C-alpha cells in the first residue's frame, strides 16, 4: 500500500484556492490516522470483559498506541479506503476466591499487529500477554483471550465497516448526496461548454463499460518475463508444494481439468477449466471476500521465444470492483497480488530473474 501523501501526483488533486474538486474527477485523499486513533481510543478504552463471572474481573485500560497509516480516497463519489495499522491496548485483571477476597491483581497487554484493507474480510491476529505468569495470572490471560478477543474483534470489524463508508468524511459524503442539485450559469456559452464536457465524459464512461464487458467488473492484463523454460514455471503454478514454498501459505491444487484448487490459506478457490502443459492454464477463480455467486476467469498463456526465456500473458477477467463489504480496492489488490505475491515471489524464490 502506498504511503499517505505519496500517491501518483497525476491522480492526487492539488488544493485550489476555491477548494473545488471539479466533477470529483480526481482523487481527493484524506488522512484517516488521527480519526482511527480516536475511533479505537473510544471503542477499546475502559471496556469491561468480565464482571465477576468465575470470580474474575477483567477490563481494558486504555489504547496505548495506534501506529501505521490510514487514508480514504474519494473519486466521483466512490470511497476507496486504505490502511495498515497496528494497535496495543493495556488491560487489568483481578481474581478473587470464593469469599470475595483478592488473590491476584495484575496487568497485561493486548496487541493486534496488523489490520489491513487487503485482509478486510478476515479477522486479524490478536496477541495477549500478562505480567504475572503464575497459575492465576495465566488463568486471567486465558480468560482475556477467550472473552476479550471476540469483543475487540467486533470493534475492529466496526472500524473496517466505518472506513468502507468513508471514515471521517462519511458525513460530508452523505451531505453531498442529499443536497439538492442546482444549476448555475453565467451565460449560454458557458452552459453549452459545460454541457459538451458532460456529454464527452458520459461517452468516455460508456466506452469504458463496453471495454470492460460488464458494468461493475474489470479485466486485468499483464505480461511477465522469466528466465526459465515454460514447462518449469507451469509446473510451479500447478504444484501445491511449490505454491506453499513461494507463498508461505497452505495450498491444495489438482492437476486435472475439472479439478479444484485452494490457495493462500483458502482465500482463493476455484476449478481448472483447461490445462495444456507448458502452454496454457485456464481457471475459474473466486476470492472469499467477494459477493456470493461471483467468479472470475484466469487465463495464463506461456510463450517461449527462445530456450530459457518465457513470457507469460495473464488475462484475469470479471474481477468485481467491490467486495462484499463495499471496499472498492478489489481490482487494485488483485493486480498487486499477481505482481508481488505470485510473479515476483517466483522470481525471488526460484531465481528466475526479472
Amino acid at each position: 500500500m502506498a504511503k499517505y501523501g505519496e500517491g501518483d501526483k497525476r491522480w492526487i488533486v492539488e488544493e485550489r484556492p476555491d477548494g473545488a474538486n471539479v466533477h470529483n474527477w480526481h482523487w481527493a485523499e484524506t488522512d484517516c490516522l488521527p480519526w482511527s486513533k480516536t475511533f479505537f481510543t473510544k471503542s477499546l478504552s475502559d471496556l469491561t470483559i468480565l464482571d465477576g463471572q468465575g470470580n474474575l474481573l477483567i477490563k481494558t485500560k486504555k489504547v496505548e498506541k495506534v501506529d501505521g497509516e490510514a487514508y480514504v480516497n474519494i473519486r466521483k463519489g466512490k470511497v476507496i479506503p486504505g490502511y495498515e495499522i497496528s494497535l496495543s491496548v493495556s488491560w487489568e485483571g483481578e481474581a478473587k476466591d470464593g469469599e470475595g477476597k483478592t488473590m491476584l491483581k495484575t496487568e497485561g497487554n493486548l496487541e493486534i499487529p496488523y489490520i489491513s484493507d487487503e485482509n478486510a474480510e478476515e479477522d486479524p491476529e490478536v496477541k495477549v500477554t500478562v505480567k504475572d505468569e503464575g497459575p492465576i495470572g495465566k488463568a486471567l490471560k486465558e480468560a482475556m483471550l477467550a472473552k476479550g478477543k471476540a469483543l475487540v474483534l467486533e470493534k475492529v470489524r466496526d472500524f473496517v465497516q466505518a472506513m468502507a463508508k468513508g471514515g471521517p468524511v462519511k458525513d460530508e459524503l452523505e451531505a453531498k448526496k442529499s443536497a439538492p442539485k442546482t444549476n448555475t450559469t453565467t451565460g449560454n456559452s458557458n452552459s453549452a461548454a459545460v454541457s459538451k464536457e458532460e456529454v464527452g465524459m458520459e461517452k468516455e464512461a460508456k466506452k469504458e463499460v463496453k471495454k470492460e464487458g460488464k458494468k461493475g467488473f474489470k479485466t486485468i492484463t499483464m505480461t511477465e518475463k522469466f528466465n526459465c523454460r515454460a514447462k518449469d514455471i507451469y509446473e510451479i503454478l500447478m504444484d501445491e508444494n511449490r505454491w506453499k514454498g513461494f507463498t508461505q501459505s497452505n495450498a491444495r491444487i489438482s492437476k486435472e481439468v475439472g479439478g479444484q484448487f485452494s490457495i493462500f490459506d483458502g482465500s482463493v478457490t476455484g476449478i481448472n477449466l483447461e490445462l495444456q502443459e507448458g502452454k496454457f492454464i485456464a481457471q475459474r477463480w473466486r476470492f472469499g471476500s467477494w459477493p456470493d455467486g461471483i467468479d472470475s476467469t484466469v487465463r495464463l498463456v506461456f510463450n517461449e521465444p527462445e530456450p530459457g526465456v518465457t513470457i507469460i500473458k495473464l488475462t484475469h477477467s470479471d474481477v468485481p470492483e467491490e467486495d462484499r463489504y463495499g471496499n472498492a480496492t478489489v481490482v487494485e489488490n488483485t493486480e498487486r497480488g499477481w505482481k508481488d505475491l505470485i510473479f515476483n515471489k517466483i522470481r525471488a524464490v526460484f531465481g528466475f530473474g526479472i
Side-chain angles (χ1 to χ4, degrees):
M1 183 179 69
K3 293 183 178 180
Y4 172 76
E6 294 184 1
D8 190 328
K9 290 186 176 180
R10 293 172 297 175
W11 300 103
I12 304 298
V13 73
E14 299 291 340
E15 291 189 5
R16 287 174 36 142
D18 59 2
N21 181 5
V22 180
H23 298 299
N24 263 337
W25 189 250
H26 301 287
W27 293 107
E29 188 168 277
T30 301
D31 182 6
C32 298
L33 187 58
W35 176 87
S36 301
K37 291 180 178 179
T38 301
F39 180 96
F40 283 117
T41 297
K42 289 182 178 180
S43 59
L44 294 179
S45 297
D46 296 319
L47 183 65
T48 299
I49 308 300
L50 288 175
D51 193 20
Q53 299 92 326
N55 295 325
L56 300 178
L57 298 167
I58 300 176
K59 59 177 282 188
T60 63
K61 294 176 64 179
K62 65 177 182 177
V63 175
E64 300 292 341
K65 67 174 183 177
V66 177
D67 292 336
E69 56 185 339
Y71 60 80
V72 165
N73 283 319
I74 307 294
R75 182 173 187 265
K76 300 186 74 176
K78 179 169 287 188
V79 177
I80 305 176
Y83 46 89
E84 288 182 355
I85 290 176
S86 64
L87 65 86
S88 176
V89 182
S90 58
W91 63 275
E92 60 184 10
E94 180 180 359
K96 296 184 176 182
D97 60 17
E99 298 178 355
K101 294 181 180 180
T102 298
M103 296 188 295
L104 176 69
K105 281 187 177 181
T106 189
E107 297 179 343
N109 190 66
L110 181 146
E111 181 184 359
I112 303 181
Y114 191 63
I115 303 171
S116 170
D117 62 283
E118 295 181 7
N119 304 312
E121 74 282 0
E122 302 172 7
D123 287 334
E125 178 186 13
V126 177
K127 299 179 180 180
V128 175
T129 58
V130 65
K131 290 183 178 179
D132 190 309
E133 290 290 347
I136 299 178
K138 288 183 178 179
L140 285 166
K141 173 185 174 181
E142 291 173 1
M144 176 63 183
L145 189 58
K147 299 295 184 179
K149 179 180 177 180
L151 292 176
V152 171
L153 289 178
E154 181 181 343
K155 304 301 181 184
V156 172
R157 287 191 286 269
D158 290 343
F159 169 80
V160 170
Q161 293 175 5
M163 285 292 289
K165 294 177 181 178
V169 298
K170 174 188 174 184
D171 292 341
E172 180 183 345
L173 287 172
E174 291 180 348
K176 287 182 178 180
K177 289 180 180 179
S178 60
K181 294 182 179 180
T182 58
N183 294 321
T184 58
T185 61
T186 57
N188 292 336
S189 60
N190 287 345
S191 177
V194 172
S195 177
K196 289 179 181 179
E197 181 182 3
E198 289 175 346
V199 169
M201 290 167 60
E202 183 178 355
K203 288 181 178 180
E204 288 300 319
K206 289 180 178 179
K207 288 180 182 179
E208 185 68 21
V209 170
K210 183 177 180 181
K211 179 181 179 182
E212 297 300 344
K214 296 181 182 179
K215 187 175 182 180
F217 295 83
K218 296 291 184 180
T219 296
I220 297 170
T221 58
M222 199 176 297
T223 300
E224 297 289 324
K225 182 178 179 181
F226 298 86
N227 293 331
C228 66
R229 301 301 299 266
K231 65 180 183 65
D232 294 332
I233 195 164
Y234 175 93
E235 290 174 359
I236 289 172
L237 291 169
M238 293 303 300
D239 184 84
E240 63 184 43
N241 290 321
R242 297 185 187 182
W243 259 95
K244 293 176 183 178
F246 75 81
T247 64
Q248 294 296 294
S249 62
N250 291 324
R252 292 184 179 180
I253 301 175
S254 169
K255 297 183 179 181
E256 303 296 328
V257 173
Q260 299 181 354
F261 65 87
S262 172
I263 53 179
F264 292 113
D265 293 324
S267 295
V268 179
T269 57
I271 298 174
N272 296 325
L273 301 176
E274 185 178 347
L275 301 173
Q276 192 172 355
E277 186 174 358
K279 294 184 177 181
F280 185 72
I281 294 175
Q283 296 173 322
R284 181 177 295 125
W285 276 45
R286 170 174 170 76
F287 289 71
S289 60
W290 290 1
D292 294 338
I294 300 298
D295 294 297
S296 63
T297 302
V298 167
R299 290 180 173 84
L300 293 163
V301 178
F302 301 79
N303 181 30
E304 193 171 342
E306 59 182 277
V309 176
T310 298
I311 295 175
I312 295 181
K313 291 185 178 181
L314 162 72
T315 304
H316 193 164
S317 57
D318 296 333
V319 179
E321 293 182 329
E322 295 184 353
D323 63 16
R324 65 170 71 240
Y325 306 100
N327 295 308
T329 56
V330 174
V331 176
E332 175 190 354
N333 292 341
T334 303
E335 186 171 7
R336 184 166 52 204
W338 275 108
K339 191 82 172 179
D340 296 339
L341 302 182
I342 298 178
F343 292 143
N344 286 345
K345 286 288 187 181
I346 289 175
R347 291 188 180 98
V349 172
F350 298 99
F352 289 165
I354 298 177

